[in-house]
Amino acid sequence: MPRKQRDYGPVTVYQTSAPAVRTPSRWWRDAIGVSVATTVLIVVALWVHGGGLQDLLPNGPASAGPMLSSLGRLTGLVSADLLLLLVLLMARIPVVERLYGRGTLARWHRLVGFTSVNLMLAHIVLITLGYAAAAHTGTLAELWTLIATYPGMLLALLATAALILVAVTSMRAARGRLRYESWHLLHLYAYLGVGLAIPHELWTGTDFLSSPAATAYWWTMYALSMAAILGYRFGLPAYRTLRHQMRVEWVVAEGPGVWSVWLTGRALDRLPVRAGQFFNWRFLTGRGWTRAHPYSLSAAPQPGRLRITVKSLGDDSALVQRLRPGTRVLVEGPYGNLTAERRRRSRVTMIASGIGVTPLRALLEELPYRPGHATLIYRARTGADFTFQQELEELAKRRGIRLFLLPGKRADWATLNGPNASEQWAPAGYGDGIALLHRLVPDLAWHDVYICGPQGWMTSVSRAARALGVADDQLHTEEFTW
Ligand SMILES: Cc1cc2nc3c(=O)[nH]c(=O)nc-3n(C[C@H](O)[C@H](O)[C@H](O)COP(=O)(O)OP(=O)(O)OC[C@H]3O[C@@H](n4cnc5c(N)ncnc54)[C@H](O)[C@@H]3O)c2cc1C
């Protein structure tokens, strides 16, 4: 039963207290979270076992050096551990991707990445200060001695430079100025950083080899990370590409600047893909094949056939219209968890903006629901910009979907992340966004809500849905941004 009422001007909003459903995936999510925390505890335990804690205890005037060095070792070890977890997080391990989704993983990636780099910097400062205090030398002189005389330190310096480069280019201000391709290429330097840091960890980092347990732990972590990257980022995509031999079947214009590409291949029914998911695609046309682009399926997978629909927004997406039948395709994926698996309720509402309609259209085809239990709210700039309008109207008629097309200019996007953000998702002229959403779907709190579109707009719709009582486990989102 609805529990609490809140007033949003002209509408009264009911907030549900319906219990969260505990699914096996939740259990696995907790288990993975606990394992991640355990690795950090293991690293701290190994440091304690190696005498790290004793070095922190004050032991006369000469204790500053060992204390600082010990803290330096701890920060270095945790930083190295987080870096390996980071590699595992982004290895695109299917079960991890399915459990957490791209958005959550990307947020963790940022948090763990910046924490690791900060700890690495603290490690460098503390170790240098500690060694300088012990040797009674100046800090810069000690830093030079460390780099010039300790084995593996020159490579560690290069590793530091690579990781700082990745961190700086990932800061929002810098990232916004870079093309996706440049940012992505620079980001690969993180792997270089991880690799170049290993020699100094083995040759000078006593904690790595201080006991058989420490040696086993670190080699296991390195082996797991390497295997995950090789297996899931290279092996699995290569296997799927070779196994399914996908090719372009034909290309159809869907509207201004929008084309659908139909793809065929071998044994496509064995490809574990669901409506709502996306692949990273490379079309072997000669131009631009080195850059993979993510496109979602725009139709539920059919026997022996898949469809994607692409809006021309830049160099490579504009080339899609010129694809010839028979063009070979390299794929990575499927990825994304905007799928039927996330469903919690019998009623469902889909909210799309622009080309973000693609995965939602596929889901509306695949999901089971009773007539009247599914709603699609679709905003676009003008009437001509509604991709699949005819298809959607036919689907709506056939399956009893409540379809709302909202044409109109964007509201002021500058305010999308401001205090009134939840009022701005609707196009200009539709008034308060929460009131509109409530008018369109009065019982939204009882629905699963799937949202897809650009980032700022999605933040706004999600806030409006939450204000109407939709719980986090009922909200399923896919951003079309990197
Ligand atoms: C999960 C996901 C699913 C998507 N599904 C669809 C879809 O079904 N249909 C569709 O038309 N578009 C989809 N997109 C957006 C599409 O990937 C970009 O429009 C496309 O990659 C632009 O490439 P470009 O070289 O033509 O443009 P560019 O000029 O390089 O860039 C245009 C815009 O696209 C972004 N972009 C470029 N390359 C990538 C990339 N590899 N990953 C993410 N963003 C990128 C850029 O940051 C920029 O904002 C999806 C994006 C994501 C993240």
Side-chain angles (χ1 to χ4, degrees):
M1 280 295 288
R3 182 164 58 94
K4 178 162 77 164
Q5 287 188 7
R6 280 169 71 180
D7 257 342
Y8 284 96
V11 291
T12 303
V13 174
Y14 292 88
Q15 290 207 316
T16 173
S17 59
V21 182
R22 202 165 170 81
T23 63
S25 72
R26 280 240 172 167
W27 188 93
W28 275 105
R29 247 195 284 192
D30 295 345
I32 292 178
V34 169
S35 314
V36 165
T38 307
T39 69
V40 179
L41 285 181
I42 291 176
V43 166
V44 175
L46 291 172
W47 168 78
V48 172
H49 182 254
L53 213 50
Q54 284 96 309
D55 289 339
L56 287 188
L57 301 175
N59 186 20
S63 63
M67 270 170 83
L68 290 167
S69 304
S70 181
L71 280 177
R73 275 177 19 234
L74 179 62
T75 47
L77 290 167
V78 177
S79 165
D81 190 58
L82 292 184
L83 214 53
L84 291 173
L85 289 175
L86 200 64
V87 171
L88 281 170
L89 264 185
M90 297 321 272
R92 297 198 183 272
I93 302 171
V95 64
V96 177
E97 294 263 317
R98 264 212 320 279
L99 287 177
Y100 295 101
R102 219 171 48 96
T104 307
L105 287 176
R107 276 193 297 281
W108 282 14
H109 182 68
R110 275 186 82 76
L111 180 72
V112 175
F114 281 114
T115 309
S116 169
V117 169
N118 288 334
L119 286 172
M120 179 192 71
L121 295 175
H123 163 68
I124 296 169
V125 171
L126 288 166
I127 286 282
T128 310
L129 289 176
Y131 278 40
H136 304 291
T137 52
T139 314
L140 286 180
E142 185 57 39
L143 184 63
W144 174 247
T145 311
L146 280 171
I147 294 169
T149 57
Y150 280 70
M153 291 302 284
L154 220 48
L155 294 177
L157 186 69
L158 292 178
T160 307
L163 291 170
I164 289 178
L165 182 73
V166 173
V168 168
T169 52
S170 297
M171 286 174 180
R172 286 188 213 282
R175 192 168 139 164
R177 295 211 190 100
L178 285 172
R179 273 177 64 89
Y180 172 83
E181 289 84 16
S182 320
W183 172 83
H184 189 248
L185 202 65
L186 284 171
H187 221 69
L188 297 181
Y189 278 50
Y191 294 120
L192 192 69
V194 175
L196 289 176
I198 296 179
H200 101 284
E201 289 160 0
L202 295 178
W203 295 332
T204 60
T206 45
D207 291 275
F208 272 64
L209 306 174
S210 61
S211 66
T215 312
Y217 174 76
W218 286 107
W219 280 123
T220 306
M221 285 296 283
Y222 274 109
L224 277 180
S225 312
M226 178 79 98
I229 291 293
L230 290 179
Y232 293 115
R233 293 216 80 150
F234 297 103
L236 192 57
Y239 167 74
R240 290 213 169 121
T241 295
L242 290 172
R243 179 174 192 210
H244 298 291
Q245 306 265 337
M246 269 195 238
R247 286 173 189 272
V248 173
E249 191 179 22
W250 74 81
V251 179
V252 218
E254 295 285 0
V258 181
W259 286 272
S260 280
V261 183
W262 286 91
L263 300 127
T264 53
R266 280 200 327 220
L268 283 188
D269 53 321
R270 310 298 292 270
L271 188 63
V273 60
R274 307 284 311 259
Q277 290 191 298
F278 67 95
F279 290 87
N280 287 333
W281 303 86
R282 292 169 204 265
F283 298 101
L284 297 184
T285 50
R287 253 184 86 192
W289 77 270
T290 50
R291 298 182 292 271
H293 289 279
Y295 298 117
S296 308
L297 296 188
S298 60
Q302 297 179 7
R305 192 171 275 160
L306 299 174
R307 183 180 81 171
I308 56 171
T309 302
V310 177
K311 187 173 175 73
S312 165
L313 288 174
D315 308 346
D316 292 339
S317 47
L319 291 176
V320 162
Q321 59 187 292
R322 291 200 230 132
L323 288 173
R324 301 241 160 269
T327 303
R328 282 171 152 273
V329 185
L330 307 186
V331 287
E332 292 162 44
Y335 300 129
N337 60 0
L338 194 75
T339 58
E341 279 178 24
R342 318 300 294 178
R343 185 110 174 258
R344 299 284 176 273
R345 310 290 154 115
S346 60
R347 289 161 200 256
V348 66
T349 291
M350 310 268 169
I351 313 179
S353 175
I355 198 64
V357 75
T358 51
L360 304 188
R361 189 227 162 276
L363 273 167
L364 279 172
E365 219 180 336
E366 189 187 90
L367 289 180
Y369 47 81
R370 287 206 246 143
H373 280 195
T375 303
L376 172 65
I377 302 170
Y378 181 10
R379 79 150 288 277
R381 197 170 285 259
T382 67
D385 292 317
F386 288 110
T387 307
F388 313 127
Q389 181 166 350
Q390 201 184 335
E391 272 186 32
L392 288 170
E393 282 168 354
E394 279 166 17
L395 192 64
K397 213 160 146 192
R398 187 154 45 84
R399 299 214 39 200
I401 301 166
R402 302 167 69 242
L403 177 62
F404 299 101
L405 302 180
L406 309 181
K409 281 202 312 194
R410 287 174 179 175
D412 181 6
W413 280 49
T415 61
L416 277 181
N417 286 314
N420 296 327
S422 52
E423 294 165 14
Q424 303 297 333
W425 72 268
Y430 284 80
D432 179 295
I434 300 177
L436 176 68
L437 194 52
H438 186 255
R439 263 203 313 278
L440 299 180
V441 193
D443 58 348
L444 193 73
W446 301 99
H447 288 223
D448 272 296
V449 181
Y450 289 76
I451 306 174
C452 188
Q455 192 178 28
W457 174 86
M458 286 185 49
T459 308
S460 166
V461 192
S462 303
R463 285 194 203 179
R466 283 198 190 94
L468 290 168
V470 175
D472 281 349
D473 73 342
Q474 292 163 255
L475 264 185
H476 318 294
T477 58
E478 187 74 86
E479 282 171 17
F480 271 15
T481 22
W482 53 285

